[in-house]
Amino acid sequence: SQQGEEDPQALSIQEGENATMNCSYKTSINNLQWYRQNSGRGLVHLILIRSNEREKHSGRLRVTLDTSKKSSSLLITASRAADTASYFCATSPYGGSQGNLIFGKGTKLSVKP
Amino acid sequence: DVKVTQSSRYLVKRTGEKVFLECVQDMDHENMFWYRQDPGLGLRLIYFSYDVKMKEKGDIPEGYSVSREKKERFSLILESASTNQTSMYLCASSFLGQGYETQYFGPGTRLLVL
């Protein structure tokens, strides 16, 4: 049961530019997380934002959450070639089985040097 | 440092073979998960376990079974492999309980069934 939908599906930018990815979801959530996946590897947790938070920062990452619109965005500032990866949002549904996450299909980011 | 390991990075099996994928975590996590990842379909949950000997079906359990005899180890079993089970398999673990939903992933096993 897919809940998160990322947009765009693919994004290509130049090094130094900012990259913005969006995620929409359908039901109430406890929190929303963003993960990164390098080609052919496992996912790595980037950042978690709780349902009562609106914005969170971690290094060059900025995440916003709008629960009224059921959407989130991930901004990567001053992108680098090493940021090339797929990015997934994952939601922890309110009232769902503890620990279960529902992943979106991901945004494939390509940062050209 | 957090660590989730999977027994193989690449695996090639024949149709009808029984396949075991092993996952081990060293973080004393209660929860463990098996996903498969296919292009255009994202991650789909096959099975998860929140305790030793406990298992719950995910979204696509058909054709799979799991075993959790020890807290640190979660095995995915393909009883009779079929070509439509060719995929990337990802294992993950997390603590149990609200506020601990961050999942830690292994490197993945790319399975090819011929």
Side-chain angles (χ1 to χ4, degrees):
Chain A
S1 51
Q2 296 288 342
Q3 158 135 278
E5 289 286 337
E6 288 92 341
D7 167 58
Q9 288 187 338
L11 181 60
S12 182
I13 58 174
Q14 294 293 131
E15 215 167 21
E17 293 180 342
N18 295 342
T20 300
M21 288 158 269
N22 302 296
C23 170
S24 59
Y25 57 91
K26 294 176 185 156
T27 62
S28 296
I29 60 172
N30 292 318
N31 62 63
L32 185 145
Q33 303 178 47
W34 286 90
Y35 287 79
R36 165 198 168 120
Q37 183 181 35
N38 287 78
S39 181
R41 310 292 297 186
L43 278 72
V44 175
H45 177 256
L46 293 175
I47 195 165
L48 180 152
I49 186 165
R50 303 204 178 280
S51 59
N52 61 354
E53 296 175 310
R54 292 296 166 256
E55 189 169 313
K56 205 158 182 182
H57 297 253
S58 176
R60 293 185 295 113
L61 304 181
R62 175 180 159 240
V63 170
T64 60
L65 179 65
D66 186 335
T67 52
S68 66
K69 294 181 180 176
K70 292 187 168 58
S71 68
S72 172
S73 67
L74 171 68
L75 169 67
I76 304 174
T77 59
S79 62
R80 305 165 183 168
D83 294 327
T84 294
S86 291
Y87 292 82
F88 296 85
C89 69
T91 52
S92 174
Y94 182 78
S97 298
Q98 287 184 328
N100 278 26
L101 298 177
I102 302 176
F103 287 84
K105 294 180 184 178
T107 291
K108 195 166 187 175
L109 173 66
S110 175
V111 182
K112 299 186 189 311
Chain B
D1 204 13
V2 162
K3 199 142 189 186
V4 180
T5 57
Q6 294 183 229
S7 50
S8 306
R9 288 300 316 280
Y10 301 96
L11 213 49
V12 180
K13 296 291 181 181
R14 297 220 172 264
T15 302
E17 278 192 80
K18 192 167 185 175
V19 182
F20 293 87
L21 302 182
E22 301 263 296
C23 175
V24 177
Q25 50 95 2
D26 66 358
M27 296 161 284
D28 203 34
H29 284 163
E30 293 88 0
N31 288 337
M32 294 189 76
F33 307 86
W34 275 107
Y35 296 91
R36 67 177 280 177
Q37 184 179 25
D38 301 286
L41 297 178
L43 272 76
R44 293 181 290 167
L45 182 63
I46 305 171
Y47 268 98
F48 67 99
S49 168
Y50 53 87
D51 200 356
V52 174
K53 297 196 187 297
M54 305 301 288
K55 61 184 180 184
E56 295 280 347
K57 292 180 180 179
D59 299 318
I60 51 163
E62 297 78 20
Y64 303 93
S65 62
V66 290
S67 171
R68 189 146 180 222
E69 297 296 318
K70 293 185 177 181
K71 190 175 186 180
E72 67 271 17
R73 190 179 297 268
F74 192 34
S75 302
L76 180 70
I77 303 151
L78 287 65
E79 296 289 344
S80 177
S82 64
T83 54
N84 63 12
Q85 291 179 310
T86 290
S87 187
M88 171 73 132
Y89 289 89
L90 292 165
C91 174
S93 69
S94 72
F95 286 116
L96 181 67
Q98 210 172 82
Y100 296 98
E101 295 93 343
T102 296
Q103 291 186 11
Y104 297 87
F105 282 81
T109 296
R110 196 170 287 281
L111 173 66
L112 173 62
V113 182
L114 300 172

